[in-house]
């Protein structure tokens, strides 16, 4: 008998699937950010004057190319999101799902544009179309839905694709069956959606804009709430779903950059990177992002040091050093913190709650110091240098990260050491001998793909297997056959279970693990 799945678990599963799918288009942002960041940092007049070696037509031509390519990726984000989300949600025939998303997205653009004309709702000739909530996207005059339109196209296409990609038609129409049927039905569906959006989008846009004004008006209180919710969602893998509206819609703020109205702090940041006239980065970045640098560069390494010194002197402390040092260094360099967060959660939920509060406080400090360092993926040293130091203190106030980071490190070190010892928490190195031996085996060994499949109950128990930046995301038929201990023996830091959806936390090596799993499955 199959277990009943509650509405709560179903919604969590949907959210996790969407979070997984969103990671695919988000993964392109570091590339665009890198190109824009380097070109912006090395082509400004002040930098060229200070470093004459950069006053070279070949180098400056290369930087212009990097700027153009990065800006091009940024301009195509709505389309990238539509394709990436559809492919991420598709259970099979992912390439066909991506193509169907392109069709759906352009039908949405052209359909809304056509209906605006039919109902005489377009901006009058010569008027600023931005004042009417309209824009020109890919040469099409349409509603200004920006990335939201791409996300909508991706989600709808993913649902339509999964429902119809195995459709069988009569023999005479068999050529149009299967995955070829999806773009056909998608065209019809998005014609209907485009009609609906002409009437409902203005209201949606107003609500999003009001939400942005409301959260911005809360100031440091809003920054604290945002940070606390973001960290809470992080542990269940729904943080991508939470922060996306702040990244790409008016919820994260609105600003005119280079003569264009840009929505969402992340979109604004990328636009400002590409704009040579940028004097200071968008103020909302201080509310919704910069605090992450305090946390990844200082708080998390401090917690690792606290966990280390809380271990009684002896062989256990020596054995735990390599693991704690590596996860602290990973956080510092790349901003990946899952191993630390799950070590705290596994030892005591109170430790994770304390970490989440510390994370939220970091957002408050960054807002008060008006630090405006953007990011594209993480908030480690690499992005701190690229988007903070290399952009200049006048644009970012990056110096406050260094000035305030040291006392933040000290305070968190003593606070978390006190908590660990007071709670007698079994953080790495403080467990029983057998538990410690298991917990410190964190590296995946090539060839363990088979063990992972076995631990998940075999291929017959797996209905979907994918990954994001640090986690395997798996949907299974039966939970009682899952062997979590075996998963941890393959290097998993922890396993999060929601309904029949599992997140197996491996860290940034998960892409390699997923590749080996796919190779193993192909041999079955």
């Amino acid at each position: 008998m199959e277990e009943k799945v509650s509405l709560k678990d179903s919604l969590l599963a949907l959210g996790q699937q969407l979070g997984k799918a969103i990671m695919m288009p988000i993964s392109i942002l570091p590339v665009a950010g890198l190109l824009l960041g380097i070109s912006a940092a090395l082509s400004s007049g002040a930098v060229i004057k200070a470093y004459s070696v950069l006053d070279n037509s070949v180098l400056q031509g290369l930087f212009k190319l990097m700027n153009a390519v990065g800006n091009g990726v940024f301009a195509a984000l709505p389309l990238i999101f539509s394709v990436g989300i559809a492919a991420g949600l598709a259970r099979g025939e992912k390439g066909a799902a991506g193509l169907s998303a392109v069709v759906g997205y352009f039908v949405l653009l052209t359909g809304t544009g056509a209906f605006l004309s039919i109902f005489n709702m377009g901006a009058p000739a010569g008027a600023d179309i931005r004042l009417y909530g309209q824009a020109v996207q890919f040469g099409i005059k349409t509603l200004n839905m920006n990335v939201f339109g791409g996300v909508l196209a991706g989600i709808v296409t993913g649902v339509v694709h999964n429902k119809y990609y195995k459709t069988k038609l009569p023999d005479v129409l068999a050529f149009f069956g299967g995955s070829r049927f999806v773009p056909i039905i998608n065209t019809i569906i998005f014609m209907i959606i485009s009609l609906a959006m002409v009437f409902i989008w203005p209201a949606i846009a107003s609500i999003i804009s009001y939400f942005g004004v409301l959260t911005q008006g809360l100031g440091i209180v809003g920054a604290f709430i945002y940070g606390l919710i973001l960290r809470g969602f992080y542990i269940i893998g729904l943080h991508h779903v939470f922060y996306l509206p702040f990244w790409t819609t008016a919820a994260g703020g609105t600003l005119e950059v280079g003569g264009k109205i840009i929505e969402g702090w992340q979109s604004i940041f990328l636009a400002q990177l590409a704009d040579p006239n940028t004097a200071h980065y968008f103020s909302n970045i201080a509310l919704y992002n910069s605090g992450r640098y305090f946390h990844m560069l200082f708080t998390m390494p401090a917690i690792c040091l606290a966990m280390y010194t809380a271990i009684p002197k002896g062989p256990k402390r020596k054995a735990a050093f390599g693991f704690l040092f590596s996860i602290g260094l990973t956080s510092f360099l790349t901003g990946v913190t899952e191993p630390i967060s799950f070590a705290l959660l596994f030892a005591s939920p109170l430790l994770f709650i304390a970490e989440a509060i510390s994370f939220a406080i970091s957002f408050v400090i960054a807002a008060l110091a008006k630090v405006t360092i953007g990011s594209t993926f993480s908030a480690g040293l690499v992005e701190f240098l690229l988007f903070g130091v290399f952009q200049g203190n006048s644009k970012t106030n990056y110096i406050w990260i260094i000035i305030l980071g040291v006392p933040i490190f000290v305070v968190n070190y003593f606070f978390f050491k006190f908590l660990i010892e007071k709670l007698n928490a079994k953080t790495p190195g403080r467990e029983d001998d057998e538990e410690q031996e298991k917990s410190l085996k964190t590296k995946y060994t090539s060839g363990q793909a088979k063990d992972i499949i076995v631990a998940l109950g075999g291929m017959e128990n797996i209905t979907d297997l994918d990954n994001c930046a640090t986690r395997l995301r798996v949907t299974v038929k039966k939970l009682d056959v899952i062997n979590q201990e075996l998963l941890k023996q393959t290097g998993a830091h922890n396993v999060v279970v929601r309904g029949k959806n599992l997140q197996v936390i491996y860290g940034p090596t998960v892409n390699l693990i997923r590749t080996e799993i796919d190779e193993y499955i192909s041999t079955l």
Side-chain angles (χ1 to χ4, degrees):
M1 178 181 291
E2 289 194 5
E3 303 173 27
K4 288 186 177 180
V5 180
S6 68
L7 177 61
K8 177 183 175 183
D9 286 340
S10 297
L11 291 174
L12 279 170
L14 178 63
Q16 288 173 351
Q17 288 175 358
L18 183 57
K20 174 199 71 176
I22 287 171
M23 272 307 297
M24 186 176 291
I26 283 178
S27 66
I28 196 65
L29 291 179
V31 178
L34 183 68
L35 293 171
L36 291 171
I38 292 175
S39 61
L42 300 181
S43 61
S44 68
V47 172
I48 294 173
K49 186 176 180 180
Y51 302 97
S52 58
V53 68
L54 296 174
D55 191 8
N56 179 290
S57 59
V58 175
L59 280 177
Q60 291 304 315
L62 176 62
F63 296 147
K64 285 182 180 179
L65 173 63
M66 293 170 67
N67 181 280
V69 172
N71 208 18
V73 171
F74 164 64
L77 278 182
L79 183 59
I80 291 171
F81 268 88
S82 69
V83 174
I85 290 175
L89 291 176
R91 298 193 191 103
E93 300 279 359
K94 291 180 179 289
L99 176 60
S100 298
V102 173
V103 173
Y105 177 66
F106 278 101
V107 171
L108 179 64
L109 292 186
T110 54
T112 51
F115 282 121
L116 285 173
S117 176
I118 291 170
F119 295 115
N120 198 28
M121 297 170 65
D128 186 346
I129 62 174
R130 297 175 301 179
L131 301 177
Y132 292 81
Q134 296 163 26
V136 176
Q137 293 181 299
F138 297 98
I140 303 167
K141 186 178 177 182
T142 184
L143 289 173
N144 186 19
M145 292 180 286
N146 211 307
V147 172
F148 181 93
V151 172
L152 176 64
I155 293 173
V156 173
T157 300
V159 173
V160 172
H161 177 84
N162 288 335
K163 184 175 179 62
Y164 293 109
Y165 81 102
K166 292 183 179 180
T167 298
K168 292 183 179 179
L169 297 176
D171 290 347
V172 68
L173 298 173
F175 176 81
F176 300 102
S179 60
R180 295 188 184 97
F181 185 66
V182 179
I184 297 172
I185 195 70
N186 226 28
T187 299
I188 298 170
I189 288 172
F190 274 97
M191 287 174 66
I192 298 170
I193 290 175
S194 63
L195 172 60
M197 293 304 289
V198 166
F199 295 100
I200 67 174
W201 173 250
I204 294 173
S206 295
I207 292 171
I208 293 173
S209 180
Y210 175 76
F211 182 68
V213 172
L214 179 65
T215 54
Q216 187 174 356
L218 290 173
I220 60 173
V221 175
F224 180 85
I225 294 171
Y226 176 85
L228 195 63
I229 295 174
L230 181 63
R231 205 59 179 175
F233 278 21
Y234 174 83
I235 210 70
I236 56 175
L238 295 180
H239 51 300
H240 310 307
V241 179
F242 174 71
Y243 67 57
L244 187 64
F246 292 89
W247 277 29
T248 61
T249 74
T254 303
L255 190 71
E256 183 173 339
V257 183
K260 296 181 180 179
I261 297 296
I262 310 295
E263 296 179 344
W265 75 258
Q266 172 70 283
S267 299
I268 292 169
F269 168 63
L270 291 173
Q272 288 185 311
L273 271 178
D275 184 5
N277 297 315
T278 298
H280 194 278
Y281 288 112
F282 186 42
S283 60
N284 277 16
I285 297 174
L287 292 174
Y288 303 131
N289 187 68
S290 302
R292 298 168 67 213
Y293 287 99
F294 285 123
H295 202 72
M296 279 50 169
L297 295 176
F298 296 99
T299 298
M300 295 308 256
I303 290 173
C304 289
L305 181 60
M307 288 193 285
Y308 175 73
T309 56
I311 305 168
K313 290 183 179 180
K316 284 189 175 183
R317 181 182 277 196
K318 284 185 177 180
F321 174 78
F323 171 69
L324 292 173
F325 178 78
S326 67
I327 62 176
L329 185 62
T330 298
S331 172
F332 183 77
L333 293 177
T334 69
V336 174
T337 61
E338 269 101 337
I340 306 172
S341 294
F342 279 99
L344 295 174
L345 180 66
F346 186 74
S348 170
L350 289 176
L351 288 176
F352 176 73
I353 292 171
E355 190 231 315
I357 293 172
S358 177
F359 182 77
I361 291 172
S362 293
F363 279 70
V364 172
I365 296 172
L368 289 172
K370 298 181 179 179
V371 180
T372 54
I373 309 176
S375 62
T376 58
F377 170 70
S378 64
L381 180 64
V382 175
E383 293 206 344
F384 173 68
L385 292 174
L386 183 61
F387 300 129
V389 177
F390 293 169
Q391 302 305 317
N393 192 62
S394 62
K395 289 184 179 181
T396 64
N397 287 333
Y398 76 82
I399 195 67
W400 287 107
I401 296 292
I402 300 171
I403 294 172
L404 298 174
V406 174
I408 285 173
F409 179 95
V410 173
V411 169
N412 278 287
Y413 165 71
F414 284 109
F415 177 63
F416 277 92
K417 185 181 179 184
F418 168 78
L419 275 183
I420 291 167
E421 292 176 341
K422 188 72 174 177
L423 296 170
N424 193 25
K426 302 299 183 182
T427 50
R430 290 173 56 86
E431 318 99 320
D432 297 333
D433 291 339
E434 185 179 350
E435 290 177 338
Q436 181 181 358
E437 186 178 348
K438 290 178 181 178
S439 69
L440 297 181
K441 180 179 175 55
T442 60
K443 290 186 178 179
Y444 172 84
T445 303
S446 183
Q448 288 186 306
K450 178 181 178 181
D451 294 334
I452 293 174
I453 296 299
V454 170
L456 293 171
M459 288 303 300
E460 63 276 7
N461 190 48
I462 300 171
T463 58
D464 186 54
L465 189 151
D466 213 325
N467 70 281
C468 61
T470 55
R471 317 172 186 211
L472 281 181
R473 294 176 181 257
V474 191
T475 304
V476 298
K477 296 176 182 176
K478 297 179 180 178
L479 287 174
D480 56 358
V481 298
I482 304 299
N483 187 338
Q484 293 196 24
E485 286 303 315
L486 181 55
L487 286 171
K488 290 178 182 179
Q489 290 173 27
T490 66
H493 300 298
N494 216 315
V495 181
V496 178
V497 180
R498 288 291 181 273
K500 293 186 177 181
N501 297 274
L502 283 75
Q503 296 178 33
V504 189
I505 317 299
Y506 282 103
T509 60
V510 73
N511 286 324
L512 172 63
I513 295 170
R514 169 68 192 284
T515 299
E516 292 203 2
I517 289 174
D518 288 342
E519 290 175 351
Y520 170 72
I521 292 174
S522 68
T523 65
L524 298 178

